[in-house]
Amino acid sequence: MPSKFKNIEVEIEPLSKHHDFLSFDCYTGYKGDLELNDFIKSDALNETDEGWNRTYAVIAKNTNTVVAFFTIVPESFKILRQVKEEKNKPYTQIPAFKIARLAVDKNFQGCGLGAFLMDYALGFIIQKLIKNGGGRYITVDAFPHRIKWYKENFGFTENTMIKQDGLSFTNLILDTKLYSEKLK
């Protein structure tokens, strides 16, 4: 179902070679934005073809122009036995899904497209992947300037089950069981 942002309707579909993503630019002054630009232009299709992840394009309706994208990857994170016992987890290797990348072209930032896309990705993971394959957690590696956005808007918390440096990014985690109960 199309949604409207900045006077254009958008649709979400798996990224393909038929999409125009070479002009995509989310750079707003943060080094991580350059990495996201490079990923969509150089790596996204190859990594999908090789089965590493799946990237979804937000395209302007009736065009092939990518205005935003997100990437999902299955993952797991290892926790110490002590943490396993303290947090009453059944495994030391915790299965999860990661929203590995999420970016909005700078021409479409500030209109709610990023929040819409995050809601879509969370819903997709919970309703399609977790519901049909299991799992409980969704993670995201947040750049320092985005941590507050993930926490305040979606309920992510810092993943205290793993060691992290917090310098280039912080691993955030969402317990989908608690998140789904909050939505009821």
Side-chain angles (χ1 to χ4, degrees), residues 104-138:
V104 177
D105 187 281
K106 64 184 175 187
N107 295 313
F108 294 90
Q109 293 177 8
C111 66
L113 182 55
F116 166 79
L117 190 54
M118 190 66 185
D119 280 334
Y120 181 92
L122 291 172
F124 180 84
I125 292 169
I126 292 168
Q127 294 299 314
K128 302 286 184 186
L129 303 177
I130 290 176
K131 182 178 180 181
N132 294 307
R136 179 154 173 187
Y137 296 100
I138 298 173

Side-chain angles (χ1 to χ4, degrees), residues 2-109:
S3 296
K4 199 166 194 171
F5 297 92
K6 283 202 176 181
N7 298 320
I8 66 157
E9 286 187 72
V10 296
E11 297 178 318
I12 299 173
E13 54 191 45
L15 182 70
S16 76
K17 63 183 176 184
H18 303 293
H19 291 123
D20 173 13
F21 48 81
L22 294 178
S23 61
F24 182 88
D25 183 10
C26 67
Y27 183 68
T28 59
Y30 296 97
K31 181 183 175 194
D33 295 343
L34 295 174
E35 293 171 19
L36 292 166
N37 284 343
D38 184 57
F39 173 78
I40 190 73
K41 294 172 185 179
S42 304
D43 301 322
L45 286 177
N46 290 338
E47 288 187 13
T48 292
D49 288 345
E50 292 179 11
W52 295 113
N53 55 47
R54 173 74 61 196
T55 297
Y56 293 87
V58 179
I59 59 164
K61 189 174 180 187
N62 299 322
T63 75
N64 285 325
T65 303
V66 175
V67 297
F69 70 91
F70 68 95
T71 302
I72 296 174
V73 60
E75 76 159 352
S76 65
F77 52 91
K78 188 174 179 88
I79 61 176
L80 299 172
R81 190 160 303 282
Q82 176 186 353
V83 173
K84 173 189 176 295
E85 293 166 7
E86 286 173 5
K87 297 194 180 269
N88 197 28
K89 301 297 177 194
Y91 309 106
T92 54
Q93 196 72 26
I94 306 294
F97 287 95
K98 177 179 277 200
I99 300 173
R101 292 171 183 85
L102 187 143
V104 177
D105 187 281
K106 64 184 175 187
N107 295 313
F108 294 90
Q109 293 177 8

